[in-house]
Amino acid sequence: MGPGMPPPRRGGGGALIAALLGGGLVILVIIGVVVFVIAANGGKTPEEKLTAAATSMSAARAVGLKGTLGGTGTLTGELNVTRGGRATGPVTWNGDRVTILSTDGKLFVKADQTYWKREISGSDEAFYLTSGEQWGRLDADELNIDFKQQLSPTALASAIRSARTSRIKPLKTTWQGEKALKFSTFSSTIYISDEDDAELLRYEATTPRVRVDVTPKSAGDASSIVSQMRTSIGELKDSFNGSAQPRVAEWKRGGCNGDAGCTVEAKIRPPYDVDTPVTIDVRFRITAGTLTGRDLGDCTTRITISSSLPQWASCRVTSAAWRSWAKGTGGTFYKHASYKVIGATPEEVSAMQNGLDSE
């Protein structure tokens, strides 16, 4: 280093080097390089992504399920399931196009007359069926799926968390064109999006049999779903119970001795599988000569049975057919009874709608 030259300066991530080459002074500047070591996979681990998907699902007010669900029968279509386990949507059920509404442990189906004539007990005399679609109630075992325990956002979040116990490593794949992680356990298969803010994409399970694409609903969509359910529940005031079948315990004799009319009276036994009080519309009908003879008229009355004991129901047939027959040939006649068991009482409708307030 020549006399009078200042010493090299250090710092700033580099170094200043001075050297004499061929009688000249050359200054070299070396720039420091900072190297960051990045994890090979980056971001969250698969287990952490599972946790993120479970957290996202547990916060959802509702979830859309599109695919196939199997209980006693097979549903194919798209259902919306709320946080409280209420479910609704148009589906194909064993080949029939229907709308499902499952709420508060009760199952209702909206379908046309063709469907109900096959499903209703004693449907050959289902006098209340119309040409359009109608809401009817079925036994919950007809579907045998517990939406709250098995397919609600809370239940799906639990299924996601359970996938962490699997000893099988997750598989990198795609689902519907999106990068995904597939987790398999003994009872289920779960696809989540392969990103830090992961969400559940698909859920498959053996009990119940489920193969569905999953869409967590936004707050606005969830509010619309709940509003739709409230409207549907309001329509249940006109529904019937297609699984319930009352019976005549005893016919009362007499009441049909003149041509002015015929009072028909019978003691009605409530359905075995329906809680009381139960409201029933009873239609009495009279035929001439045989069980399948000429129709002589009918009348309808409503009773509410509050215990397991039979209750009397009566009404009077005053048709022109009865008067003509009674004045003319007269003779033997037969009495028939058919029933409309009310699917939901006003109190039940109110309770189901109030239950939506917690969604």
Side-chain angles (χ1 to χ4, degrees), residues 10-285:
R10 295 189 179 125
L16 182 62
I17 301 176
L20 285 174
L21 293 177
L25 178 64
V26 179
I27 300 176
L28 301 178
V29 180
I30 301 176
I31 306 299
V33 178
V34 181
V35 178
F36 295 94
V37 179
I38 302 176
N41 294 326
K44 295 182 178 179
T45 65
E47 290 74 17
E48 290 171 333
K49 292 175 181 179
L50 265 183
T51 299
T55 301
S56 174
M57 179 58 65
S58 63
R61 290 181 58 199
V63 62
L65 306 176
K66 184 177 182 180
T68 300
L69 297 86
T72 305
T74 299
L75 297 181
T76 302
E78 188 167 3
L79 289 173
N80 291 312
V81 184
T82 66
R83 183 167 48 198
R86 297 169 174 89
T88 189
V91 296
T92 298
W93 189 359
N94 295 332
D96 293 296
R97 291 292 298 169
V98 301
T99 299
I100 295 289
L101 174 62
S102 175
T103 177
D104 297 18
K106 303 174 181 65
L107 175 63
F108 296 89
V109 173
K110 190 174 187 178
D112 60 20
Q113 187 180 99
T114 301
Y115 172 85
W116 285 121
K117 281 187 174 181
R118 294 197 311 269
E119 292 295 321
I120 296 173
S121 301
S123 59
D124 56 322
E125 294 189 58
F127 59 88
Y128 47 86
L129 289 181
T130 65
S131 58
E133 291 188 326
Q134 294 175 262
W135 283 108
R137 182 173 175 179
L138 295 178
D139 193 301
D141 290 341
E142 292 277 345
L143 187 56
N144 199 29
I145 294 176
D146 188 328
F147 288 100
K148 184 174 183 178
Q149 296 298 322
Q150 297 167 330
L151 293 171
S152 66
T154 301
L156 291 174
S158 178
I160 296 171
R161 294 187 185 98
S162 296
R164 296 191 62 172
T165 64
S166 174
R167 295 182 179 179
I168 302 175
K169 291 184 178 180
L171 175 67
K172 280 185 173 291
T173 183
T174 60
W175 189 259
Q176 302 291 351
E178 185 173 354
K179 291 182 179 180
L181 293 173
K182 178 182 176 182
F183 295 81
S184 298
T185 68
F186 176 76
S187 60
S188 67
T189 299
I190 289 171
Y191 294 75
I192 66 170
S193 54
D194 190 4
E195 54 190 6
D196 285 352
D197 295 328
E199 289 189 340
L200 179 62
L201 299 177
R202 184 168 176 83
Y203 176 63
E204 300 176 357
T206 55
T207 305
R209 298 189 308 274
V210 175
R211 303 287 186 275
V212 292
D213 293 341
V214 181
T215 306
K217 298 296 182 178
S218 66
D221 287 343
S223 295
S224 296
I225 291 166
V226 171
S227 178
Q228 177 190 348
M229 284 185 174
R230 191 178 299 278
T231 299
S232 296
I233 291 173
E235 296 172 357
L236 299 180
K237 64 181 184 298
D238 298 318
S239 67
F240 54 85
N241 192 327
S243 297
Q245 185 62 27
R247 292 287 186 271
V248 171
E250 177 186 349
W251 288 100
K252 187 173 184 179
R253 296 179 177 274
C256 301
N257 297 323
D259 57 23
C262 176
T263 299
V264 185
E265 191 169 4
K267 188 176 285 187
I268 307 300
R269 190 186 306 279
Y272 292 109
D273 53 353
V274 175
D275 294 334
T276 56
V278 56
T279 300
I280 305 170
D281 288 342
V282 184
R283 173 163 291 188
F284 292 122
R285 186 169 62 89

